Amino acid sequence: DSLDQSYTRSFVFPYDSSSSRSEPATLKVELIDAPLINSDHTSVGLQSWASSIFFAERMCANPSTFFSTSRDLEKMRPFRVLEIGAGTGMLSITTAKILCDSVSKPIIVATDYHPDVLENLQRNVYANFSSPSSGDDDELPVAVHKLDWETPEFDTKPFNEPFDIILGADVVYHPSHAQLIR
């Protein structure tokens, strides 16, 4: 099993928490990267790619550019975030950590297609927020779901309501992907 040879990477980003702390804040994300499956080119999401790391770093440096929390407080529903092609979940996990102090609990959905990638993505959510033995995935700030861009199911939860923001990094590696995303 390719997930047995995985390794954990720790990322610590400078974080603008907009608080009056005397020392700079940081935000830490731990991701489990698994070896790519040589016989399956669609397993690329088993590893963290530079674009998601740089994107997460930018989100941490200036969260208000990406998430307007004052707007969330005026809404009658939670702020909804969708990450497409989440892979290891860097953007969803970072988003959850940025928004953890917001008054209303956001809904953050991390999606991918490949079964091994989804399994590893769930492990990364557990690694950052809980343990697999806790048994209550509903309490985790990031929900993991399969999303097939060719045949999306928009009539089932959590895809049956609009998202406030859609995040994606390095998700187009075939010309047809751009059309499917649109």
Side-chain angles (χ1 to χ4, degrees):
D1 182 61
S2 66
L3 297 178
D4 291 339
Q5 301 170 8
S6 61
Y7 58 96
T8 301
R9 297 172 66 187
S10 294
F11 301 91
V12 179
F13 302 114
Y15 175 56
D16 178 7
S17 63
S18 297
S19 66
S20 57
R21 293 183 182 188
S22 59
E23 61 185 67
T26 59
L27 189 143
K28 182 178 180 183
V29 175
E30 291 197 6
L31 295 179
I32 301 163
D33 280 10
L36 298 177
I37 302 168
N38 291 333
S39 62
D40 185 356
H41 74 280
T42 64
S43 70
V44 294
L46 289 170
Q47 296 191 347
S48 303
W49 294 88
S51 58
S52 68
I53 297 165
F54 289 130
F55 193 172
E57 183 176 46
R58 295 202 54 150
M59 290 185 341
C60 290
N62 196 355
S64 63
T65 298
F66 300 94
F67 313 107
S68 175
T69 54
S70 62
R71 186 181 71 196
D72 303 341
L73 299 177
E74 298 168 6
K75 293 183 179 182
M76 296 305 292
R77 63 174 181 77
F79 188 70
R80 292 174 50 85
V81 179
L82 173 67
E83 183 181 5
I84 59 172
T88 59
M90 172 64 88
L91 300 181
S92 295
I93 291 166
T94 301
T95 297
K97 290 185 176 208
I98 289 171
L99 297 179
C100 70
D101 294 331
S102 62
V103 173
S104 61
K105 181 181 174 188
I107 295 172
I108 302 169
V109 180
T111 66
D112 213 292
Y113 177 75
H114 194 283
D116 290 336
V117 174
L118 288 165
E119 181 183 337
N120 191 55
L121 174 56
Q122 187 67 62
R123 285 180 13 163
N124 283 328
V125 171
Y126 288 140
N128 282 274
F129 300 108
S130 179
S131 67
S133 62
S134 69
D136 193 2
D137 288 354
D138 291 337
E139 293 300 315
L140 295 171
V142 177
V144 173
H145 289 274
K146 179 180 180 179
L147 178 60
D148 182 347
W149 296 356
E150 289 186 34
T151 56
E153 296 182 24
F154 295 126
D155 56 341
T156 60
K157 283 189 171 197
F159 306 109
N160 60 340
E161 293 182 40
F163 288 91
D164 296 293
I165 188 170
I166 299 173
L167 303 172
D170 226 352
V171 295
V172 176
Y173 55 93
H174 188 276
S176 66
H177 293 164
Q179 187 66 25
L180 291 171
I181 291 172
R182 189 175 71 97

